[in-house]
Amino acid sequence: MNVKKILSDIYKNRIWLLMVLPGTIWLLLFSYLPMFGQVLAFKKFRIHPDGFFASVINSEWVGWENFEYLFSTSDAWIITRNTLVYNIIFIVVGLIAAVGTAIMLSELVNKKLSKVYQTSILFPHFISWVIGSYFVFTFLSTDHGLLNHVLGWFHIDPISWYSESKYWPFILVFMSLWKGVGYGSIVYLASIVGIDRAYYEAAMIDGASKWKQIKHVTLPMLKPLMIILTIMNIGRIFNSDFGLFYQVPRDSGALYSVTNVIDTFVYRGLMNLGDIGMSTAAGLYQSAVGFTLVIITNYIVRKVDEESALF
């Protein structure tokens, strides 16, 4: 290893390295440093008077006991099912909606109007779920909600939305699309803009309709990006949007059967039970499965189309 050359390269690229330094520090502090805390998944955490690190060191080692307790509870199946099913739906529906929206925006002739649409659909991405939950409440409130007022016009009894779980899978999917489709479509739109127009000109010369241009030019060009983003989303398939599942249903106990996911389970385990060991075990289980799924998915993609694989 040529240390002198390495130092020389660092000096030459010092400006670029300084630009990524804040992100690197953030990654180390909030992604890599907390990994040492995963040891709590195998311990029965007890607070020690000498501080947190002493508590970690002196807590009793219990091995797989936290995992056994986690999977022996009735919630284990519910949170795993909800997390997986919702994320599969979000990935599939979100991909279709984002690509479809990006294609529609790219086909708009009036570019000023296109910018207005882009801004409008991107705006929800920057709204926190706390604010979003109040938007939802204005529609779904039993006494003053807009939807119940509309139902009243048709002489239909008001619905107690926050007590009836059967409606919430649809509400959560809709809210996920409302917040996420704008950002996803902008990513795909940027890729569409970068496609060489010569492909479209050649397709038009061959007599291809607009649909055939999309089918045979746009979608194949978007395929590598779609695969990479899908692989990354599969890696987060055991991670849920905490705000969506906790804030939007307003933590209603009557809805836990369809809104309780791993992230909300971990949060409630910490806040209500104070069980740090079991909560850490749930988080580790979440990360391990996500990592495994990324490796498997990438391996399958590499076997089918090596150039489309993430690594």
Side-chain angles (χ1 to χ4, degrees):
M1 181 182 293
N2 192 334
V3 177
K4 187 175 181 181
K5 186 178 183 304
I6 294 174
L7 293 175
S8 176
D9 288 341
I10 292 174
Y11 181 78
K12 287 179 183 177
N13 298 286
R14 61 190 182 280
I15 301 300
W16 310 115
L17 292 172
L18 283 172
M19 288 177 63
V20 301
L21 183 61
T24 303
I25 293 173
W26 183 91
L27 197 66
L28 289 172
L29 289 177
F30 295 102
S31 294
Y32 287 95
L33 191 60
M35 286 185 180
F36 296 103
Q38 297 296 335
V39 70
L40 291 176
F42 306 95
K43 289 196 167 195
K44 188 173 183 179
F45 185 78
R46 291 292 180 267
I47 297 175
H48 194 274
D50 292 336
F52 175 75
F53 292 104
S55 300
V56 173
I57 294 170
N58 293 304
S59 292
E60 179 188 356
W61 182 271
V62 294
W64 299 99
E65 187 177 304
N66 288 321
F67 292 91
E68 291 172 4
Y69 180 72
L70 169 66
F71 291 111
S72 65
T73 62
S74 59
D75 293 326
W77 158 245
I78 294 173
I79 63 174
T80 302
R81 179 203 64 191
N82 289 346
T83 305
L84 273 176
V85 173
Y86 276 122
N87 278 321
I88 290 171
I89 294 172
F90 292 162
I91 290 171
V92 175
V93 177
L95 175 65
I96 295 170
V99 173
T101 304
I103 291 173
M104 286 189 288
L105 289 173
S106 69
E107 295 298 330
L108 286 175
V109 177
N110 189 329
K111 296 305 176 185
K112 288 186 178 179
L113 192 60
S114 175
K115 296 294 182 184
V116 173
Y117 289 149
Q118 288 178 40
T119 303
S120 300
I121 62 175
L122 186 61
F123 180 69
H125 176 74
F126 300 101
I127 298 177
S128 74
W129 279 122
V130 176
I131 304 300
S133 68
Y134 283 100
F135 288 164
V136 175
F137 187 69
T138 59
F139 282 89
L140 303 184
S141 172
T142 304
D143 299 323
H144 306 290
L146 179 60
L147 286 182
N148 278 336
H149 276 297
V150 173
L151 292 176
W153 297 342
F154 297 96
H155 305 289
I156 300 174
D157 293 334
I159 298 172
S160 182
W161 298 97
Y162 290 94
S163 300
E164 299 191 30
S165 61
K166 61 184 179 180
Y167 302 108
W168 279 90
F170 304 100
I171 295 171
L172 292 173
V173 171
F174 174 79
M175 290 305 298
S176 177
L177 287 176
W178 172 78
K179 198 172 194 299
V181 73
Y183 181 81
S185 66
I186 297 300
V187 174
Y188 288 111
L189 180 61
S191 182
I192 293 173
V193 171
I195 298 174
D196 192 340
R197 305 310 298 177
Y199 292 113
Y200 293 102
E201 292 170 4
M204 285 187 285
I205 292 172
D206 290 338
S209 63
K210 185 61 67 177
W211 164 244
K212 288 186 176 179
Q213 291 175 41
I214 293 170
K215 182 179 178 181
H216 298 291
V217 178
T218 306
L219 292 177
M221 288 295 182
L222 289 179
K223 180 183 172 183
L225 179 62
M226 292 164 64
I227 291 173
I228 288 172
L229 292 181
T230 301
I231 291 173
M232 295 175 68
N233 286 331
I234 288 174
R236 295 192 294 269
I237 202 168
F238 262 63
N239 293 74
S240 304
D241 191 335
F242 177 80
L244 172 63
F245 290 98
Y246 184 82
Q247 296 290 350
V248 174
R250 304 180 73 84
D251 195 25
S252 172
L255 306 177
Y256 281 0
S257 62
V258 295
T259 62
N260 201 13
V261 290
I262 294 176
D263 294 82
T264 56
F265 178 80
V266 170
Y267 175 78
R268 292 187 185 106
L270 284 171
M271 297 301 293
N272 300 333
L273 304 176
D275 195 336
I276 294 177
M278 190 182 67
S279 300
T280 308
L284 181 58
Y285 161 64
Q286 189 178 29
S287 302
V289 174
F291 174 76
T292 304
L293 287 172
V294 167
I295 299 298
I296 294 172
T297 306
N298 188 76
Y299 175 79
I300 295 171
V301 171
R302 192 168 66 239
K303 286 294 182 183
V304 176
D305 183 4
E306 189 172 352
E307 293 184 357
S308 299
L310 185 59
F311 52 86

